[in-house]
Amino acid sequence: MKRLSLLLGLLIYVVSMRGATSATYDFAVVNGDTLRMDVYMPGCCLDGPAKPAVIFAFGGGFKGGERDNESYKKYFDFLCSRGVAVISTDYRTSLAKANPGELGSVEGFAKAVQGAVTDAVTDFYKATAFVLAHAGDWGIDPAKIIASGSSAGAITALQAEYVLANGGVPAGVFPEGFNYAAVVSFAGAICTEGDIAWKSKPCPMMLFHGDADRNVPYDELGVGGVALCGSRAIATSLAGVGVACEFYTFAGSDHSIAISPMQDRLYTIFGFVNRVCSGKERSSLNAFDFVPGVASDYQTEFTIADYIKANM
């Protein structure tokens, strides 16, 4: 009986170590819309040392999407089971309210996308500031906050770091010296008005992208005076400034890479997060995955019309 009690006690302890708790918070009201975040806390270390945190932005083409989409839960649960808090946040999806007539032209589409990215990044900063303000209560280490996102959310996370590294965040939004510890991007891009340029060194990045993606450019697309610089262009720019980057290309893959690494590359992602948080992520990696059955002459070049059609 004593042995059985010990086994049951051990089982309860293991479950509590692995389990995660969650809570939802309102963190901002913008134009009458309440923005919320779901905070997933690791059950393994509620009373332990301050833990890393991933702030995640959902995908949806800046037209929709849900922070609690089932496609992301495996990613959240996996990180939480290894001691990383996850904050899945709302942001404004401004393209949903764009004038359809404006989106029909190249210039109108570019302007609308640029505005939507700006709104999303502004809200992502509000979410980050809310997490920083509660870091002490939640047991989160402010120096180990990682930005992450899928598709439009990946653009949001990458753009947030780009603006921050280039001094574009108004004073008082963050504590002095704050930066994200890293970015983990699933099929994202950076929106610029020229080539990617870094005024100060950005954080390390992990980039996943399919080179046959017709939703978010794998390399670079210029439209209406605005450039969307995808993962390949970002990785090249990071190499130029000596910043660690793990760049995973999936040959012949489309926009499904906005989701699939969160299902089948979890140990790879956690390894990166662990190295970043322990200060050991110093080298870069360019890796190619060749998908079985993909024809060797698959399409990788797309026009602006292709991208508009895919996203609208």
Side-chain angles (χ1 to χ4, degrees), residues 213-234:
D213 191 334
R214 64 176 66 228
N215 290 76
V216 177
Y218 168 72
D219 196 353
E220 186 172 339
L221 174 73
V223 48
V226 177
L228 269 179
C229 302
S231 298
R232 183 177 179 181
I234 296 168

mmCIF file with all atom_site columns, all heavy atoms in Angstrom, residues 213-234:
data_model
loop_
_atom_site.group_PDB
_atom_site.id
_atom_site.type_symbol
_atom_site.label_atom_id
_atom_site.label_alt_id
_atom_site.label_comp_id
_atom_site.label_asym_id
_atom_site.label_entity_id
_atom_site.label_seq_id
_atom_site.pdbx_PDB_ins_code
_atom_site.Cartn_x
_atom_site.Cartn_y
_atom_site.Cartn_z
_atom_site.occupancy
_atom_site.B_iso_or_equiv
_atom_site.pdbx_formal_charge
_atom_site.auth_seq_id
_atom_site.auth_comp_id
_atom_site.auth_asym_id
_atom_site.auth_atom_id
_atom_site.pdbx_PDB_model_num
ATOM 1   N N   . ASP A 1 213 ? 5.952  29.499 -52.032 1.00 0.00 ? 213 ASP A N   1
ATOM 2   C CA  . ASP A 1 213 ? 4.893  30.204 -51.297 1.00 0.00 ? 213 ASP A CA  1
ATOM 3   C C   . ASP A 1 213 ? 4.374  31.364 -52.142 1.00 0.00 ? 213 ASP A C   1
ATOM 4   O O   . ASP A 1 213 ? 5.124  32.274 -52.480 1.00 0.00 ? 213 ASP A O   1
ATOM 5   C CB  . ASP A 1 213 ? 5.463  30.719 -49.962 1.00 0.00 ? 213 ASP A CB  1
ATOM 6   C CG  . ASP A 1 213 ? 4.391  31.227 -49.017 1.00 0.00 ? 213 ASP A CG  1
ATOM 7   O OD1 . ASP A 1 213 ? 3.324  31.658 -49.478 1.00 0.00 ? 213 ASP A OD1 1
ATOM 8   O OD2 . ASP A 1 213 ? 4.645  31.203 -47.790 1.00 0.00 ? 213 ASP A OD2 1
ATOM 9   N N   . ARG A 1 214 ? 3.078  31.341 -52.457 1.00 0.00 ? 214 ARG A N   1
ATOM 10  C CA  . ARG A 1 214 ? 2.501  32.429 -53.239 1.00 0.00 ? 214 ARG A CA  1
ATOM 11  C C   . ARG A 1 214 ? 1.642  33.360 -52.378 1.00 0.00 ? 214 ARG A C   1
ATOM 12  O O   . ARG A 1 214 ? 0.949  34.233 -52.908 1.00 0.00 ? 214 ARG A O   1
ATOM 13  C CB  . ARG A 1 214 ? 1.686  31.902 -54.426 1.00 0.00 ? 214 ARG A CB  1
ATOM 14  C CG  . ARG A 1 214 ? 0.468  31.099 -54.072 1.00 0.00 ? 214 ARG A CG  1
ATOM 15  C CD  . ARG A 1 214 ? -0.340 30.707 -55.314 1.00 0.00 ? 214 ARG A CD  1
ATOM 16  N NE  . ARG A 1 214 ? 0.375  29.803 -56.184 1.00 0.00 ? 214 ARG A NE  1
ATOM 17  C CZ  . ARG A 1 214 ? 0.475  29.965 -57.512 1.00 0.00 ? 214 ARG A CZ  1
ATOM 18  N NH1 . ARG A 1 214 ? -0.083 31.002 -58.091 1.00 0.00 ? 214 ARG A NH1 1
ATOM 19  N NH2 . ARG A 1 214 ? 1.107  29.080 -58.250 1.00 0.00 ? 214 ARG A NH2 1
ATOM 20  N N   . ASN A 1 215 ? 1.685  33.179 -51.047 1.00 0.00 ? 215 ASN A N   1
ATOM 21  C CA  . ASN A 1 215 ? 0.985  34.082 -50.128 1.00 0.00 ? 215 ASN A CA  1
ATOM 22  C C   . ASN A 1 215 ? 1.915  35.125 -49.531 1.00 0.00 ? 215 ASN A C   1
ATOM 23  O O   . ASN A 1 215 ? 1.571  36.314 -49.440 1.00 0.00 ? 215 ASN A O   1
ATOM 24  C CB  . ASN A 1 215 ? 0.330  33.282 -49.004 1.00 0.00 ? 215 ASN A CB  1
ATOM 25  C CG  . ASN A 1 215 ? -0.839 32.456 -49.475 1.00 0.00 ? 215 ASN A CG  1
ATOM 26  O OD1 . ASN A 1 215 ? -0.650 31.408 -50.098 1.00 0.00 ? 215 ASN A OD1 1
ATOM 27  N ND2 . ASN A 1 215 ? -2.050 32.901 -49.196 1.00 0.00 ? 215 ASN A ND2 1
ATOM 28  N N   . VAL A 1 216 ? 3.079  34.673 -49.075 1.00 0.00 ? 216 VAL A N   1
ATOM 29  C CA  . VAL A 1 216 ? 4.104  35.559 -48.523 1.00 0.00 ? 216 VAL A CA  1
ATOM 30  C C   . VAL A 1 216 ? 5.399  35.271 -49.274 1.00 0.00 ? 216 VAL A C   1
ATOM 31  O O   . VAL A 1 216 ? 5.825  34.111 -49.329 1.00 0.00 ? 216 VAL A O   1
ATOM 32  C CB  . VAL A 1 216 ? 4.305  35.330 -47.012 1.00 0.00 ? 216 VAL A CB  1
ATOM 33  C CG1 . VAL A 1 216 ? 5.427  36.218 -46.471 1.00 0.00 ? 216 VAL A CG1 1
ATOM 34  C CG2 . VAL A 1 216 ? 3.011  35.605 -46.251 1.00 0.00 ? 216 VAL A CG2 1
ATOM 35  N N   . PRO A 1 217 ? 6.035  36.282 -49.870 1.00 0.00 ? 217 PRO A N   1
ATOM 36  C CA  . PRO A 1 217 ? 7.228  36.028 -50.691 1.00 0.00 ? 217 PRO A CA  1
ATOM 37  C C   . PRO A 1 217 ? 8.325  35.308 -49.917 1.00 0.00 ? 217 PRO A C   1
ATOM 38  O O   . PRO A 1 217 ? 8.628  35.663 -48.774 1.00 0.00 ? 217 PRO A O   1
ATOM 39  C CB  . PRO A 1 217 ? 7.686  37.432 -51.100 1.00 0.00 ? 217 PRO A CB  1
ATOM 40  C CG  . PRO A 1 217 ? 6.478  38.287 -50.959 1.00 0.00 ? 217 PRO A CG  1
ATOM 41  C CD  . PRO A 1 217 ? 5.676  37.707 -49.831 1.00 0.00 ? 217 PRO A CD  1
ATOM 42  N N   . TYR A 1 218 ? 8.904  34.310 -50.548 1.00 0.00 ? 218 TYR A N   1
ATOM 43  C CA  . TYR A 1 218 ? 10.056 33.612 -49.981 1.00 0.00 ? 218 TYR A CA  1
ATOM 44  C C   . TYR A 1 218 ? 11.294 34.508 -50.011 1.00 0.00 ? 218 TYR A C   1
ATOM 45  O O   . TYR A 1 218 ? 12.091 34.518 -49.068 1.00 0.00 ? 218 TYR A O   1
ATOM 46  C CB  . TYR A 1 218 ? 10.298 32.333 -50.782 1.00 0.00 ? 218 TYR A CB  1
ATOM 47  C CG  . TYR A 1 218 ? 11.607 31.637 -50.523 1.00 0.00 ? 218 TYR A CG  1
ATOM 48  C CD1 . TYR A 1 218 ? 11.839 30.950 -49.331 1.00 0.00 ? 218 TYR A CD1 1
ATOM 49  C CD2 . TYR A 1 218 ? 12.611 31.642 -51.494 1.00 0.00 ? 218 TYR A CD2 1
ATOM 50  C CE1 . TYR A 1 218 ? 13.040 30.300 -49.108 1.00 0.00 ? 218 TYR A CE1 1
ATOM 51  C CE2 . TYR A 1 218 ? 13.812 30.992 -51.282 1.00 0.00 ? 218 TYR A CE2 1
ATOM 52  C CZ  . TYR A 1 218 ? 14.028 30.319 -50.085 1.00 0.00 ? 218 TYR A CZ  1
ATOM 53  O OH  . TYR A 1 218 ? 15.222 29.675 -49.872 1.00 0.00 ? 218 TYR A OH  1
ATOM 54  N N   . ASP A 1 219 ? 11.420 35.293 -51.077 1.00 0.00 ? 219 ASP A N   1
ATOM 55  C CA  . ASP A 1 219 ? 12.586 36.171 -51.209 1.00 0.00 ? 219 ASP A CA  1
ATOM 56  C C   . ASP A 1 219 ? 12.147 37.629 -51.072 1.00 0.00 ? 219 ASP A C   1
ATOM 57  O O   . ASP A 1 219 ? 12.058 38.145 -49.972 1.00 0.00 ? 219 ASP A O   1
ATOM 58  C CB  . ASP A 1 219 ? 13.300 35.920 -52.532 1.00 0.00 ? 219 ASP A CB  1
ATOM 59  C CG  . ASP A 1 219 ? 14.709 36.506 -52.566 1.00 0.00 ? 219 ASP A CG  1
ATOM 60  O OD1 . ASP A 1 219 ? 15.080 37.218 -51.619 1.00 0.00 ? 219 ASP A OD1 1
ATOM 61  O OD2 . ASP A 1 219 ? 15.433 36.240 -53.525 1.00 0.00 ? 219 ASP A OD2 1
ATOM 62  N N   . GLU A 1 220 ? 11.844 38.299 -52.164 1.00 0.00 ? 220 GLU A N   1
ATOM 63  C CA  . GLU A 1 220 ? 11.497 39.714 -52.080 1.00 0.00 ? 220 GLU A CA  1
ATOM 64  C C   . GLU A 1 220 ? 10.527 40.071 -53.193 1.00 0.00 ? 220 GLU A C   1
ATOM 65  O O   . GLU A 1 220 ? 10.649 39.613 -54.326 1.00 0.00 ? 220 GLU A O   1
ATOM 66  C CB  . GLU A 1 220 ? 12.757 40.577 -52.189 1.00 0.00 ? 220 GLU A CB  1
ATOM 67  C CG  . GLU A 1 220 ? 12.519 42.061 -51.961 1.00 0.00 ? 220 GLU A CG  1
ATOM 68  C CD  . GLU A 1 220 ? 13.814 42.856 -51.882 1.00 0.00 ? 220 GLU A CD  1
ATOM 69  O OE1 . GLU A 1 220 ? 14.865 42.247 -51.605 1.00 0.00 ? 220 GLU A OE1 1
ATOM 70  O OE2 . GLU A 1 220 ? 13.765 44.083 -52.099 1.00 0.00 ? 220 GLU A OE2 1
ATOM 71  N N   . LEU A 1 221 ? 9.561  40.921 -52.849 1.00 0.00 ? 221 LEU A N   1
ATOM 72  C CA  . LEU A 1 221 ? 8.583  41.397 -53.812 1.00 0.00 ? 221 LEU A CA  1
ATOM 73  C C   . LEU A 1 221 ? 8.395  42.893 -53.630 1.00 0.00 ? 221 LEU A C   1
ATOM 74  O O   . LEU A 1 221 ? 8.052  43.348 -52.536 1.00 0.00 ? 221 LEU A O   1
ATOM 75  C CB  . LEU A 1 221 ? 7.242  40.675 -53.612 1.00 0.00 ? 221 LEU A CB  1
ATOM 76  C CG  . LEU A 1 221 ? 6.078  41.186 -54.467 1.00 0.00 ? 221 LEU A CG  1
ATOM 77  C CD1 . LEU A 1 221 ? 6.266  40.764 -55.931 1.00 0.00 ? 221 LEU A CD1 1
ATOM 78  C CD2 . LEU A 1 221 ? 4.746  40.667 -53.933 1.00 0.00 ? 221 LEU A CD2 1
ATOM 79  N N   . GLY A 1 222 ? 8.630  43.668 -54.680 1.00 0.00 ? 222 GLY A N   1
ATOM 80  C CA  . GLY A 1 222 ? 8.408  45.102 -54.634 1.00 0.00 ? 222 GLY A CA  1
ATOM 81  C C   . GLY A 1 222 ? 7.081  45.442 -55.272 1.00 0.00 ? 222 GLY A C   1
ATOM 82  O O   . GLY A 1 222 ? 6.751  44.960 -56.346 1.00 0.00 ? 222 GLY A O   1
ATOM 83  N N   . VAL A 1 223 ? 6.298  46.270 -54.586 1.00 0.00 ? 223 VAL A N   1
ATOM 84  C CA  . VAL A 1 223 ? 4.988  46.641 -55.104 1.00 0.00 ? 223 VAL A CA  1
ATOM 85  C C   . VAL A 1 223 ? 4.605  48.030 -54.589 1.00 0.00 ? 223 VAL A C   1
ATOM 86  O O   . VAL A 1 223 ? 4.601  48.265 -53.377 1.00 0.00 ? 223 VAL A O   1
ATOM 87  C CB  . VAL A 1 223 ? 3.911  45.602 -54.720 1.00 0.00 ? 223 VAL A CB  1
ATOM 88  C CG1 . VAL A 1 223 ? 3.980  45.247 -53.236 1.00 0.00 ? 223 VAL A CG1 1
ATOM 89  C CG2 . VAL A 1 223 ? 2.515  46.092 -55.072 1.00 0.00 ? 223 VAL A CG2 1
ATOM 90  N N   . GLY A 1 224 ? 4.309  48.936 -55.508 1.00 0.00 ? 224 GLY A N   1
ATOM 91  C CA  . GLY A 1 224 ? 3.822  50.260 -55.129 1.00 0.00 ? 224 GLY A CA  1
ATOM 92  C C   . GLY A 1 224 ? 4.744  51.020 -54.212 1.00 0.00 ? 224 GLY A C   1
ATOM 93  O O   . GLY A 1 224 ? 4.285  51.725 -53.307 1.00 0.00 ? 224 GLY A O   1
ATOM 94  N N   . GLY A 1 225 ? 6.061  50.894 -54.402 1.00 0.00 ? 225 GLY A N   1
ATOM 95  C CA  . GLY A 1 225 ? 7.014  51.587 -53.542 1.00 0.00 ? 225 GLY A CA  1
ATOM 96  C C   . GLY A 1 225 ? 7.293  50.894 -52.225 1.00 0.00 ? 225 GLY A C   1
ATOM 97  O O   . GLY A 1 225 ? 8.055  51.390 -51.397 1.00 0.00 ? 225 GLY A O   1
ATOM 98  N N   . VAL A 1 226 ? 6.666  49.741 -52.002 1.00 0.00 ? 226 VAL A N   1
ATOM 99  C CA  . VAL A 1 226 ? 6.850  48.957 -50.775 1.00 0.00 ? 226 VAL A CA  1
ATOM 100 C C   . VAL A 1 226 ? 7.428  47.602 -51.151 1.00 0.00 ? 226 VAL A C   1
ATOM 101 O O   . VAL A 1 226 ? 7.056  47.018 -52.171 1.00 0.00 ? 226 VAL A O   1
ATOM 102 C CB  . VAL A 1 226 ? 5.516  48.775 -50.029 1.00 0.00 ? 226 VAL A CB  1
ATOM 103 C CG1 . VAL A 1 226 ? 5.693  47.902 -48.800 1.00 0.00 ? 226 VAL A CG1 1
ATOM 104 C CG2 . VAL A 1 226 ? 4.928  50.131 -49.651 1.00 0.00 ? 226 VAL A CG2 1
ATOM 105 N N   . ALA A 1 227 ? 8.347  47.100 -50.347 1.00 0.00 ? 227 ALA A N   1
ATOM 106 C CA  . ALA A 1 227 ? 8.917  45.773 -50.574 1.00 0.00 ? 227 ALA A CA  1
ATOM 107 C C   . ALA A 1 227 ? 8.532  44.847 -49.428 1.00 0.00 ? 227 ALA A C   1
ATOM 108 O O   . ALA A 1 227 ? 8.599  45.233 -48.255 1.00 0.00 ? 227 ALA A O   1
ATOM 109 C CB  . ALA A 1 227 ? 10.436 45.848 -50.689 1.00 0.00 ? 227 ALA A CB  1
ATOM 110 N N   . LEU A 1 228 ? 8.082  43.646 -49.781 1.00 0.00 ? 228 LEU A N   1
ATOM 111 C CA  . LEU A 1 228 ? 7.905  42.581 -48.797 1.00 0.00 ? 228 LEU A CA  1
ATOM 112 C C   . LEU A 1 228 ? 9.111  41.669 -48.921 1.00 0.00 ? 228 LEU A C   1
ATOM 113 O O   . LEU A 1 228 ? 9.296  40.997 -49.946 1.00 0.00 ? 228 LEU A O   1
ATOM 114 C CB  . LEU A 1 228 ? 6.617  41.812 -49.041 1.00 0.00 ? 228 LEU A CB  1
ATOM 115 C CG  . LEU A 1 228 ? 5.359  42.292 -48.327 1.00 0.00 ? 228 LEU A CG  1
ATOM 116 C CD1 . LEU A 1 228 ? 4.171  41.416 -48.709 1.00 0.00 ? 228 LEU A CD1 1
ATOM 117 C CD2 . LEU A 1 228 ? 5.524  42.303 -46.819 1.00 0.00 ? 228 LEU A CD2 1
ATOM 118 N N   . CYS A 1 229 ? 9.945  41.670 -47.902 1.00 0.00 ? 229 CYS A N   1
ATOM 119 C CA  . CYS A 1 229 ? 11.197 40.903 -47.918 1.00 0.00 ? 229 CYS A CA  1
ATOM 120 C C   . CYS A 1 229 ? 10.997 39.640 -47.091 1.00 0.00 ? 229 CYS A C   1
ATOM 121 O O   . CYS A 1 229 ? 10.875 39.703 -45.861 1.00 0.00 ? 229 CYS A O   1
ATOM 122 C CB  . CYS A 1 229 ? 12.333 41.747 -47.345 1.00 0.00 ? 229 CYS A CB  1
ATOM 123 S SG  . CYS A 1 229 ? 12.597 43.306 -48.236 1.00 0.00 ? 229 CYS A SG  1
ATOM 124 N N   . GLY A 1 230 ? 10.956 38.512 -47.787 1.00 0.00 ? 230 GLY A N   1
ATOM 125 C CA  . GLY A 1 230 ? 10.703 37.246 -47.129 1.00 0.00 ? 230 GLY A CA  1
ATOM 126 C C   . GLY A 1 230 ? 11.924 36.658 -46.451 1.00 0.00 ? 230 GLY A C   1
ATOM 127 O O   . GLY A 1 230 ? 12.971 37.304 -46.315 1.00 0.00 ? 230 GLY A O   1
ATOM 128 N N   . SER A 1 231 ? 11.805 35.400 -46.049 1.00 0.00 ? 231 SER A N   1
ATOM 129 C CA  . SER A 1 231 ? 12.808 34.778 -45.191 1.00 0.00 ? 231 SER A CA  1
ATOM 130 C C   . SER A 1 231 ? 14.195 34.731 -45.820 1.00 0.00 ? 231 SER A C   1
ATOM 131 O O   . SER A 1 231 ? 15.205 34.925 -45.131 1.00 0.00 ? 231 SER A O   1
ATOM 132 C CB  . SER A 1 231 ? 12.361 33.365 -44.819 1.00 0.00 ? 231 SER A CB  1
ATOM 133 O OG  . SER A 1 231 ? 11.162 33.396 -44.082 1.00 0.00 ? 231 SER A OG  1
ATOM 134 N N   . ARG A 1 232 ? 14.262 34.475 -47.126 1.00 0.00 ? 232 ARG A N   1
ATOM 135 C CA  . ARG A 1 232 ? 15.583 34.420 -47.763 1.00 0.00 ? 232 ARG A CA  1
ATOM 136 C C   . ARG A 1 232 ? 16.270 35.778 -47.702 1.00 0.00 ? 232 ARG A C   1
ATOM 137 O O   . ARG A 1 232 ? 17.463 35.862 -47.389 1.00 0.00 ? 232 ARG A O   1
ATOM 138 C CB  . ARG A 1 232 ? 15.446 33.960 -49.212 1.00 0.00 ? 232 ARG A CB  1
ATOM 139 C CG  . ARG A 1 232 ? 16.783 33.812 -49.923 1.00 0.00 ? 232 ARG A CG  1
ATOM 140 C CD  . ARG A 1 232 ? 16.599 33.284 -51.332 1.00 0.00 ? 232 ARG A CD  1
ATOM 141 N NE  . ARG A 1 232 ? 17.868 33.153 -52.023 1.00 0.00 ? 232 ARG A NE  1
ATOM 142 C CZ  . ARG A 1 232 ? 18.004 32.738 -53.272 1.00 0.00 ? 232 ARG A CZ  1
ATOM 143 N NH1 . ARG A 1 232 ? 16.919 32.405 -53.969 1.00 0.00 ? 232 ARG A NH1 1
ATOM 144 N NH2 . ARG A 1 232 ? 19.180 32.646 -53.826 1.00 0.00 ? 232 ARG A NH2 1
ATOM 145 N N   . ALA A 1 233 ? 15.533 36.847 -47.997 1.00 0.00 ? 233 ALA A N   1
ATOM 146 C CA  . ALA A 1 233 ? 16.107 38.192 -47.936 1.00 0.00 ? 233 ALA A CA  1
ATOM 147 C C   . ALA A 1 233 ? 16.498 38.553 -46.508 1.00 0.00 ? 233 ALA A C   1
ATOM 148 O O   . ALA A 1 233 ? 17.533 39.184 -46.267 1.00 0.00 ? 233 ALA A O   1
ATOM 149 C CB  . ALA A 1 233 ? 15.112 39.214 -48.495 1.00 0.00 ? 233 ALA A CB  1
ATOM 150 N N   . ILE A 1 234 ? 15.685 38.148 -45.542 1.00 0.00 ? 234 ILE A N   1
ATOM 151 C CA  . ILE A 1 234 ? 15.992 38.435 -44.136 1.00 0.00 ? 234 ILE A CA  1
ATOM 152 C C   . ILE A 1 234 ? 17.254 37.707 -43.714 1.00 0.00 ? 234 ILE A C   1
ATOM 153 O O   . ILE A 1 234 ? 18.147 38.293 -43.078 1.00 0.00 ? 234 ILE A O   1
ATOM 154 C CB  . ILE A 1 234 ? 14.807 38.038 -43.238 1.00 0.00 ? 234 ILE A CB  1
ATOM 155 C CG1 . ILE A 1 234 ? 13.581 38.892 -43.556 1.00 0.00 ? 234 ILE A CG1 1
ATOM 156 C CG2 . ILE A 1 234 ? 15.180 38.198 -41.758 1.00 0.00 ? 234 ILE A CG2 1
ATOM 157 C CD1 . ILE A 1 234 ? 12.298 38.375 -42.924 1.00 0.00 ? 234 ILE A CD1 1
#
